[in-house]
Each structure stands twice: as structure tokens, then as C-alpha cells.
Amino acid sequence: MKLTFGDDVEAFRQEFLAWLADNRPTAEEMAADPAVSSAHVPEWASRWTRRLFDAGWLVPGWPPERGGRNAGPVEVLVYLEALSRAGVPRTTNPQGLGIVAPSILDYGTDAQIKDYALAVLHGEKAACLGMSEPGAGSDLASLSTRAVLDGDQFVINGQKVWTSGANYADFCFLFCRTDPDAPKHKGISVILVDMNTPGITVRPLAEIVKPEHPDLNEVFFSDVVVPRENLVGKMNDGWAMANGSLAHERGMVWLNFVMHMEQDVASLLAQAPAALARMEAPERAVVADGLVESIIDATAARCLGYRGFAKLVRGGSAPEQALMKAFCSEAQRRITLRSAEMSADHTVDIGVTPASDPTWIERYFTSYGGTISAGSSEIQRNIIAEKVLGLPR
Ligand SMILES: Cc1cc2nc3c(=O)[nH]c(=O)nc-3n(C[C@H](O)[C@H](O)[C@H](O)COP(=O)(O)OP(=O)(O)OC[C@H]3O[C@@H](n4cnc5c(N)ncnc54)[C@H](O)[C@@H]3O)c2cc1C
């Protein structure tokens, strides 16, 4: 088995690293004005996004006319690894870049592409994703936010929830019901809604971590009037977008998880000698076991990721993505718990004590969201059962 890259891929990596060294935002710039929400684009991030786009490095896997350089999947992998190792975010509006902009490029009109997709890719606008509702999360097709066509405009009423970054976003990629009489998958449309439109109320949700900077929101729509031309794709065809464009980048999401896990494990290993030395024998053995489990988790995640990725590169489908999502998000929870334990003087029941390093406690609590967003672990297990193992429904 050979797990090295060819000369052409190494040359691609060197080209990007050289460009990155000359163009990256500095650690000081990023620390002075950190992004506090998934749709908050500080000035440095806006400039950085534009610089990446203009050089063909924001979305290298896309064709040049969309701002890319037709890089193959292996090159994209190398590029994402290089960015992550350098500690530079690719974007501070991940849903805008990863889901909304490509969906508009696939389905939108020329005007929508210019005013919304390119604005996101140029770092000028940030998007949020309005899918989930109180009664429609895993079962998105149950959504009931209504958009009624009245002449040349839609009138929107309803509520979304868990909308990441809605408190900072410029516009929302909103899933609405436009035909209440059609079967539930068939009456949904997607509409671009400027977040400053009268009738929109954004209510940030209290969060256990960083309560001063909540990222999740409830969004209420009360007789919100939006021009008809903001409809993306065909009327009542929104389900195709939920299934099609949302798959953008899904093939690479595992890498993000793996890189984070590896960085966390490296930090665990660095703390280990001092932490273990101050613990009593029985506890030391438990924490050391946890450390080994974390190393195994991160290694297994990379191997599994490569396996699914190799299938994709050869042109096959890789339902292992569901397995990676479930495994990585749960492993991340275990690893952050181990780190919180390691940083504490002693452990109790749930493994975390008030004496643990607050950063790790925050990371541990935050990691729960990863097992829910973008399809919960239970939903991933359903997919694994049906599509990977071929079990009956
Ligand atoms: C950090 C974070 C960010 C998010 N950002 C956004 C966003 O920007 N935009 C957006 O639209 N949404 C967002 N969400 C919402 C997310 O998509 C939903 O939380 C998710 O789809 C689950 O839906 P739900 O919370 O309504 O739970 P439900 O679907 O009500 O599920 C409740 C529980 O039942 C389980 N369950 C449900 N159906 C099944 C089934 N068929 N089989 C087995 N178990 C089942 C679920 O796994 C879960 O444990 C975000 C969520 C989180 C945690």
C-alpha cells in the first residue's frame, strides 16, 4: 500500500503553500477581529475571501469560469490540509461557501448568481440556510413556512429555527412551502430573502457555550414581501436542491473532522506527561486508556476517510460518507472529553470538572452539535443500515 502523493500533486501543494505564505491573513489580524458567528465576515475575512477567489484558490475544484482551477479531488484534499495546518480558515461563512453559493450557481438566474452567489464568493455578503423548523428537522419535507405568490411577489409567513448565523447574515436561502396541496416533497421552493426585509425577526437562542456570541437563531417571518425574481430554480422544485446542491463538498467534510481530531490528539499528547504525573494510579490508568482511545479514533477516522475518498476518486459512490459523519462527530466528542479530563486535577462522573481547562469544556459541549447538525447520528445510522448494509427499512 502506498500512501504518498505523486510529484504533480506535491508540485500543486508547493504552489499553494508559496501563495499562502505571501497572501494569508496574519494571526494578529485574525485574533484582533475574530469571526463571532458562522455568517460574520470581519474585514480581513472579506479581503481574504476575495484574494482566494481572484487567485483561483477559494474553490480550486471548480472550473475557472466559476473561480476555480479544475483541480482534481486529490489536489483539493492537499489544499484543504495545507490550509488547516496553517491555521487559516477558508471562509468565515461556511454555509454560504459550501452550500448556498454552489446551489445558486447550479440553479439560479444570471442576476442571482451576480448578486448573491458571487457576492458570497467575493466576501461581500454572507448567507444563512433556512431549512429547519420546529416541526421539520430530520424530516425537512414537513416544513410549513408558507410563501404565497401574489402578483409579482411572494408573501412569506412562518418560522425557522437553528438558523446558524442568521443574526449576521445578509440573506437567507429559504425553503418554503409554495403548494400546500401537493405531496409534501413536491410543494417546496427556495427563495432568496434579504435579511433586512421588513417583517423578519431574528431571535438568537441562548447557548451554553459563549452566551455572549450565540450562533443559532429562531427566525420569524410575518408577511415578508419578496420579489418573484428571488425564486431559485423552478417553482415547487426545492426538494431537488435539498438533495442535489446540499451534497456539494459533502465528499470532503470528513477531512475537516479528521484534521481537527489529529490536532486535538497532538495537543493531548503534549499535555499527557505532566497531567498523568499528577494523577493517582487508578485514575491515571483510566485517563491513559482514554488517550490511547483518542489516538485510535483519529487514526481510524483518517483510514476510513481515505477509503471512502479513494472510492469517490475512482468514480464510485461512497455511502461511507454517512459512516464518517457519525463516527467522526462522535469521536470528536470523545476526544474533547479526554482533553477536558487531562486538563483537570481530577475527574468525576461525566469526566469534566470545573477545574478543567475552559477551552476544552467549551469544545466538549460544542461537539454535541456536530452529532446533530447536517443529519443527526441516528439519521446517519439509518442511511448506513439501508444504503451500506442493505438492510430492509
Ligand atoms: C450546531 C447546529 C447548527 C445548525 N445549523 C442549521 C442551519 O444553519 N440551518 C438549518 O436549517 N438548520 C440547522 N440546524 C438544524 C439541524 O439541521 C437539525 O437540528 C437536525 O436536522 C435535526 O432536526 P431536529 O433538531 O428538528 O430534531 P428531530 O428531527 O426532531 O429529531 C429529534 C431526535 O429524533 C431522532 N430522529 C428523528 N427522526 C428519526 C428517524 N427517522 N430515525 C431515528 N431517529 C430519528 C433524531 O436523530 C434526534 O435524536 C443546526 C443544528 C445544529 C445542532
Side-chain angles (χ1 to χ4, degrees), residues 158-320:
Q159 186 201 336
K160 295 287 166 182
V161 71
W162 313 125
T163 320
S164 303
N167 45 349
Y168 279 90
D170 297 292
F171 71 96
C172 183
F173 192 74
L174 187 70
F175 285 75
C176 302
R177 185 156 302 285
T178 36
D179 183 354
D181 301 322
K184 66 179 192 175
H185 294 87
K186 298 211 164 134
I188 296 172
S189 302
V190 174
I191 300 173
L192 297 166
V193 181
D194 188 324
M195 291 301 284
N196 290 317
T197 316
I200 298 181
T201 306
V202 177
R203 210 158 67 190
L205 289 159
E207 288 180 28
I208 194 166
V209 172
K210 295 211 174 86
E212 71 282 16
H213 289 305
D215 192 40
L216 295 169
N217 302 273
E218 292 178 294
V219 186
F220 298 88
F221 299 85
S222 173
D223 288 331
V224 174
V225 176
V226 176
R228 184 187 182 135
E229 70 229 27
N230 284 23
L231 172 74
V232 185
K234 290 196 207 110
M235 185 88 155
N236 298 322
D237 201 25
W239 194 246
M241 255 169 278
N243 282 310
S245 288
L246 297 195
H248 276 287
E249 302 229 330
R250 207 170 269 165
M252 288 293 187
V253 165
W254 64 273
L255 185 64
N256 223 356
F257 273 117
V258 170
M259 298 292 294
H260 273 122
M261 273 193 248
E262 289 174 347
Q263 282 158 4
D264 289 349
V265 167
S267 141
L268 262 174
L269 284 171
Q271 297 174 55
L276 293 172
R278 59 169 196 266
M279 290 176 190
E280 297 298 328
E283 189 184 13
R284 190 163 55 227
V286 172
V287 173
D289 269 1
L291 178 60
V292 173
E293 190 189 57
S294 297
I295 297 169
I296 294 170
D297 271 344
T299 312
R302 186 168 277 274
C303 293
L304 271 172
Y306 275 154
R307 191 186 128 114
F309 179 68
K311 275 178 142 186
L312 280 175
V313 170
R314 285 191 220 107
S317 68
E320 283 92 344

Side-chain angles (χ1 to χ4, degrees), residues 321-334:
Q321 295 308 326
L323 198 146
M324 285 303 287
K325 165 72 171 58
F327 177 75
C328 288
S329 56
E330 290 173 13
Q332 183 107 50
R333 212 164 64 191
R334 290 191 288 273

Side-chain angles (χ1 to χ4, degrees), residues 95 129-134 136-139 161-164 216 369 372-379 382:
Q95 293 186 326
L129 183 64
M131 297 178 104
S132 306
E133 296 184 5
S138 303
D139 183 14
V161 71
W162 313 125
T163 320
S164 303
L216 295 169
I372 300 168
S373 58
S376 67
S377 285
E378 290 80 9
I379 296 297
N382 284 351

